[in-house]
Amino acid sequence: MSAARRTASHPLLHAGASEDSTQASQSFTRAVDAGRLLRLRRGVYIDPAAWLQAPPWDRHLLATAATRLAAPGSVICRETALAVHGVDQLRVPEAVHLRTWRRQEAGIRPAPRLVGRAGPDTVGALLASSDGPLKGPRRRRPDTADLAGVPTRRVLASSAMRQAAETLPSPATVRRPLPDAGEHRLHDLEILVEPLGLVLADTLPRMEVTDAVVVLDSVRSGRWASGHRLTPADVEPWTPLVRSRRGSRRWASAWARSDSGAESVGESLTRLRVEDLGFETPETQVEFVLPDGRTARVDLFWRSAGIVGEFDGWTKYTRNGVLGHRDVSEVVYEEKVREDGLRALGLGVARFIWTEAQTVELLRQKLVNAGVPRA
C-alpha cells in the first residue's frame, strides 16, 4: 500500500484519495481480508493495531473521522457533536450521529464488518498480534468484541427544529477540527457540526440527568474546545427547542445541579452520587495553604465536617498531559505529601476511585466511614 494514500497526520487510509480509487479499493479490500487492515467505513481503512490499542472514546472519534472522509458533507449532531466540540461525557456515544431532515433516512445503520471476509484463523491471528487497548490500570488481550465497529445513526430534525429553522442563530452548522484520538492526530480534518448551544438543547433533555449534568459541568467550567465558560445566557437562544414537559424538567434539573467548578467527569459523578445518597452536597475546588506554604486545591470539601474528598482517576497517573516529564512514582509521592499536608491542617481526607463512584453501596460505605454528614 502506498504511503501516499494515507493522510500524513492521521492513521486513516482513504481509497478515494488515490488517483485510481477503484484499484486502491481492491487493494485495500484484499488487505482487510488478509487481516492487515480494518474497514471503518466504505473506502476508509485503518491499521488494526491503531484501532485495537485505542480506548473506546478514541475509537468513536476515529469512526467519526472515517465518516467525515466517506461522507464529507454530513453534519454531526447529538452526543457525537458533543465529542467533536471536546465536551466531556460520562459514556462513549453508541454511534456516530448525523443530522437528517428526511424521515426516510432516519435510523441506525450498522458499521461495515471491520474484518471483511477474513476467516476465523485470520481474525484470531490479528487479535493475538495486538497488546490490546488500555482499559484502566491494566492492559488486556483484545477479543472479537473489540472488532465491533461503530454504527451510524441518522437523527431526524425535531418538529421544533423544523419550525424554527429560519430563526435559529446562524450559522446552522459550523466547521471545526476533530479532536485528536489519543496519540493519533485528527485535528487537520475539519467537520461540519451543529453549534454547541443547539447540541445542548437537542441532546440534554433526552439524557439521564446524571449524564446531562456531567456535560454541563464540562461546558460551564470551560472544559471543551473553545475554553469558554458557558452560561445559561449563552444557550438561551436555543431553549425554545426544548418543548416537552419531560425534557424541560430534565433541562432545568441538570442546570440546577451542575457546577462550574468541576474539573473532571469522575469528580462530577462522585458529587452527584453523594447527593443522590442523601449526603451533604460538597463545595468544589476549595483552596488550602499547606504547612509548607504551598496551595492545594481539592476536588470536594464538606466544610461542616472538615472533610476533603479527592477523586483519583487513572488518567492522573497515566496520561502524558498530566504527568508532563515526571515519572508515575513522582506523581504518587507528590499526592502523598499533599495529603499529609491537608491532614496536618486537621482535615480528614477521603479518596474516591471509579469503582466507588459507579457502585452505590461502595460509595455509601466510603462516605459513612469518612464521616461525611447527611444532608
Side-chain angles (χ1 to χ4, degrees):
M1 289 168 289
S2 170
R5 293 173 188 154
R6 185 190 301 273
T7 302
S9 58
H10 65 70
L12 302 179
L13 292 157
H14 186 205
S18 172
E19 292 181 2
D20 188 344
S21 59
T22 300
Q23 183 177 353
S25 181
Q26 292 172 348
S27 174
F28 289 152
T29 297
R30 289 193 293 271
V32 170
D33 294 342
R36 298 193 302 273
L37 287 177
L38 299 177
R39 180 187 290 112
L40 297 187
R41 290 293 185 269
R42 184 174 182 177
V44 185
Y45 308 84
I46 191 170
D47 181 90
W51 178 263
L52 291 172
Q53 293 172 9
W57 48 90
D58 286 344
R59 289 178 185 171
H60 175 258
L61 284 174
L62 289 167
T64 302
T67 302
R68 148 68 174 81
L69 291 172
S74 297
V75 177
I76 300 295
C77 66
R78 295 277 175 92
E79 287 91 338
T80 301
L82 291 174
V84 171
H85 281 294
V87 178
D88 288 341
Q89 298 180 72
L90 184 57
R91 309 170 207 277
V92 180
E94 44 82 30
V96 175
H97 298 87
L98 305 179
R99 177 66 68 201
T100 183
W101 295 78
R102 299 178 180 179
R103 186 173 299 276
Q104 64 269 27
E105 292 181 350
I108 194 162
R109 297 181 182 178
R113 189 167 186 261
L114 266 61
V115 294
R117 293 174 294 183
D121 291 343
T122 300
V123 172
L126 185 157
L127 293 171
S129 66
S130 172
D131 289 334
L134 184 66
K135 295 195 175 182
R138 299 179 181 177
R139 298 184 73 85
R140 66 168 178 82
R141 302 300 300 182
D143 56 34
T144 53
D146 293 298
L147 293 173
V150 180
T152 300
R153 181 180 292 278
R154 293 189 177 272
V155 181
L156 182 66
S158 67
S159 58
M161 288 180 64
R162 292 173 179 275
Q163 293 170 15
E166 295 183 1
T167 60
L168 290 176
S170 182
T173 59
V174 294
R175 185 177 294 275
R176 61 161 285 104
L178 277 160
D180 287 346
E183 63 183 22
H184 300 301
R185 287 183 56 195
L186 298 178
H187 59 255
D188 65 314
L189 280 177
E190 289 192 332
I191 196 163
L192 291 173
V193 61
E194 292 178 340
L196 183 60
L198 169 57
V199 177
L200 294 174
D202 182 48
T203 308
L204 265 58
R206 294 173 170 82
M207 286 180 158
E208 295 298 325
V209 171
T210 299
D211 294 73
V213 173
V214 166
V215 168
L216 287 177
D217 279 3
S218 178
V219 297
R220 289 191 62 195
S221 65
R223 289 183 288 113
W224 63 292
S226 84
H228 170 64
R229 288 176 172 265
L230 214 70
T231 68
D234 291 318
V235 296
E236 186 176 354
W238 305 99
T239 54
L241 298 180
V242 185
R243 293 190 175 182
S244 72
R245 291 182 180 178
R246 182 182 182 186
S248 296
R249 286 195 299 269
R250 287 188 175 182
W251 177 264
S253 177
W255 276 99
R257 297 186 67 182
S258 63
D259 189 322
S260 61
E263 291 191 345
S264 72
V265 173
E267 179 190 324
S268 296
L269 179 60
T270 302
R271 186 187 79 247
L272 294 168
R273 292 284 191 257
V274 166
E275 294 175 357
D276 291 341
L277 286 170
F279 290 87
E280 187 177 288
T281 300
E283 300 173 46
T284 58
Q285 305 307 318
V286 178
E287 292 189 347
F288 296 93
V289 178
L290 303 179
D292 62 5
R294 292 186 302 164
T295 299
R297 188 172 71 238
V298 302
D299 295 335
L300 308 170
F301 182 50
W302 288 272
R303 190 174 296 275
S304 64
I307 298 172
V308 163
E310 294 278 67
F311 182 81
D312 286 332
W314 187 246
T315 299
K316 179 186 294 185
Y317 305 107
T318 57
R319 286 287 178 91
N320 289 335
V322 177
L323 291 174
H325 298 292
R326 298 173 296 171
D327 185 80
V328 172
S329 60
E330 291 182 66
V331 176
V332 173
Y333 175 75
E334 289 174 7
E335 285 292 311
K336 177 64 168 62
V337 171
R338 180 174 177 274
E339 180 174 326
D340 288 345
L342 290 168
R343 292 187 185 279
L345 296 177
L347 300 170
V349 179
R351 309 195 79 94
F352 306 98
I353 59 175
W354 271 110
T355 303
E356 292 164 340
Q358 294 173 319
T359 309
V360 170
E361 286 308 316
L362 287 178
L363 182 59
R364 188 199 311 274
Q365 194 59 52
K366 173 64 74 72
L367 294 167
V368 169
N369 292 344
V372 174
R374 291 280 182 174

